[in-house]
Amino acid sequence: MRASATRLSAKPSRTVFYSVAAQWDNLGDIEIRNAALGWVRETSADVIAYSGSMPPAYLAAFDSDEKVRFVSSPVRYQALLWSHLLRRRASIVFAPGPQVFGPSAKAIGKSLVNLINVAAVRASGGAVLAVGRSLRGRGGLARRVEAVVVSVFHLYVVRDTRSAEVLGEDLVNAPDLAFAHDFGESNAAGARTDVVISLRGDRPVGVEGLRKVVGHLRSQGLNPVFVTQVKRDDDQHRDLGHSLNIPTVLWEDHTHLEQLERARGAYAHAGVVLSNRLHALIFGIQHGASPIAVLDLASDKLTSTLRPWVELRVTNPDFDRLDDSEWPSVEILPPVGQVEAEAERARVALADVERQFLRLLDTSKNVSLAEATV
């Protein structure tokens, strides 16, 4: 992105506007939004975070303090944003995750609102930042509008290699923000013989193929376990666990924070994670488990996000092959230390982004964007 000679306001009273609203039942959404919020909280800024319809248990899973104020009303949030920016007291950070643009009037309207907001904040001297984004969409006009929105940002970082192709622009790429957390010290010592399986409840599963894989894993002394990271996957995990005689870590009536800790506990004992959910794979990688992606042919989300940073093996929803080989011919567990080294490389790459992010956002310093912008 082009550098700018504009300077950020050095006033410490500037407030950062952010959003934590996402899928209320998805631990991955909490993980990445909490990571970005943590970066913001390293500065001197107060935070006004849009929460929408997120339930209290969802919000309780975030690391927040008295400097973070949750606002559920979109009208109130927008009014507060403009009240602050008219007094030159606003910066804005777009939450990590997917942004889908398209040719519909509603989608283009949303992009135009984003453009007005970020242009106004930047004109007022505030920082306009986005990290961990993922762009998907279609339509010539929609793409051009979104490209203009992206061009206004001081820092705009995507988490995958596909986003730049979709937008038709050069974009900065870095790992997904879930890689920011290091759980190495919490991992189980010694042999890690569990295989975490976490599957989307809205996708077909080749049960007989999975049954054969489970039998092969057990013949190798490995212990499959179903782990729910998205609450709506509970029903399928429960049914598959019963059918295949596999233990489960279901969400059920647990709070978001409780299920987050239970899931992490399962990954801490895993040598492999088998999933078609992006953040199930990353949670596993965080804890040293080798990722095996169950690929949906209609989506490149998993490969475009993970393959720049880790060795990713793949299978299909029928589980008939692992990469191009039969399951029995493949060494399931990774070489000792391989996954940990890949996870550390991703964390180092994110740390570089974080330093740029903080130089731009820390309102207690007089920072030149020409020095700090990618």
Side-chain angles (χ1 to χ4, degrees):
M1 291 186 179
R2 293 189 300 273
S4 168
T6 307
R7 300 181 71 85
L8 294 177
S9 168
K11 297 181 181 298
S13 58
R14 191 172 289 273
T15 295
V16 173
F17 284 77
Y18 182 62
S19 174
V20 297
Q23 298 177 81
W24 71 271
D25 64 345
N26 190 327
L27 297 182
D29 282 349
I30 294 173
E31 181 79 359
I32 58 176
R33 283 161 179 77
N34 200 25
L37 180 61
W39 289 6
V40 175
R41 291 177 62 236
E42 290 183 38
T43 73
S44 59
D46 290 332
V47 181
I48 294 179
Y50 175 66
S51 59
S53 60
M54 299 300 100
Y58 174 96
L59 299 179
F62 283 83
D63 297 324
S64 61
D65 55 23
E66 68 280 356
K67 295 176 71 67
V68 179
R69 173 185 174 189
F70 293 115
V71 175
S72 60
S73 166
V75 175
R76 178 61 175 161
Y77 177 82
Q78 191 74 5
L80 287 168
L81 171 62
W82 278 84
S83 172
H84 281 71
L85 74 84
L86 289 174
R87 292 180 287 120
R88 306 179 69 84
R89 295 292 186 270
S91 289
I92 192 166
V93 173
F94 274 38
Q99 165 70 25
V100 180
F101 58 87
S104 71
K106 181 178 180 180
I108 293 176
K110 180 179 179 180
S111 292
L112 289 173
V113 170
N114 287 340
L115 176 59
I116 292 169
N117 284 341
V118 298
V121 171
R122 178 157 184 163
S124 76
V128 182
L129 312 174
V131 289
R133 302 286 280 178
S134 175
L135 296 175
R136 296 294 186 272
R138 58 188 178 85
L141 176 59
R143 184 187 61 78
R144 288 192 293 273
V145 171
E146 195 63 31
V148 174
V149 174
V150 170
S151 71
V152 177
F153 281 77
H154 297 119
L155 178 68
Y156 195 97
V157 181
V158 295
R159 70 185 184 187
D160 60 13
T161 56
R162 179 65 176 147
S163 292
E165 298 174 14
V166 170
L167 195 64
E169 302 284 344
D170 291 334
L171 296 172
V172 178
N173 174 256
D176 184 272
L177 260 72
F179 280 107
H181 292 161
D182 181 3
F183 298 102
E185 293 183 358
S186 68
N187 292 338
R192 301 172 63 193
T193 56
D194 287 355
V195 175
V196 166
I197 305 174
S198 189
L199 299 173
R200 296 179 63 110
D202 59 352
R203 296 288 190 274
V205 173
V207 177
E208 291 311 309
L210 183 57
R211 189 186 306 276
K212 292 178 182 178
V213 171
V214 167
H216 171 63
L217 295 175
R218 286 173 169 159
S219 73
Q220 300 297 307
L222 302 176
N223 310 306
V225 56
F226 283 109
V227 175
T228 295
Q229 271 194 220
V230 178
K231 190 170 187 177
R232 72 193 88 116
D233 298 340
D234 251 3
D235 289 344
Q236 180 165 266
H237 284 162
R238 184 182 295 106
D239 292 344
L240 288 172
H242 178 75
S243 174
L244 302 176
N245 192 28
I246 294 176
T248 57
V249 181
L250 302 178
W251 191 316
E252 297 182 318
D253 294 328
H254 295 282
T255 68
H256 293 67
L257 191 56
E258 288 170 347
Q259 185 62 11
L260 189 59
E261 292 304 315
R262 296 173 77 238
R264 286 173 176 164
Y267 288 114
H269 291 84
V272 174
V273 55
L274 174 66
S275 183
N276 51 8
R277 286 211 175 270
L278 174 64
H279 290 109
L281 294 167
I282 297 179
F283 271 41
I285 296 165
Q286 285 179 318
H287 291 84
S290 177
I292 300 176
V294 182
L295 293 187
D296 180 349
L297 295 179
S299 173
D300 57 5
K301 175 181 178 179
L302 304 181
T303 53
S304 66
T305 304
L306 294 177
R307 276 194 165 148
W309 309 104
V310 301
E311 181 179 328
L312 182 68
R313 294 178 290 178
V314 301
T315 186
N316 56 47
D318 291 325
F319 304 96
D320 51 10
R321 298 179 73 82
L322 179 56
D323 289 333
D324 294 323
S325 303
E326 300 292 336
W327 283 84
S329 67
V330 178
E331 183 67 38
I332 298 298
L333 293 177
V336 175
Q338 173 185 304
V339 179
E340 290 85 349
E342 292 171 339
E344 179 61 21
R345 182 166 68 96
R347 279 191 289 272
V348 169
L350 272 179
D352 288 340
V353 174
E354 181 183 7
R355 282 189 287 271
Q356 298 171 55
F357 181 96
L358 293 177
R359 284 201 301 269
L360 286 162
L361 194 59
D362 191 342
T363 55
S364 66
K365 298 178 181 178
N366 195 12
V367 180
S368 168
L369 293 182
E371 297 171 351
T373 304
V374 174

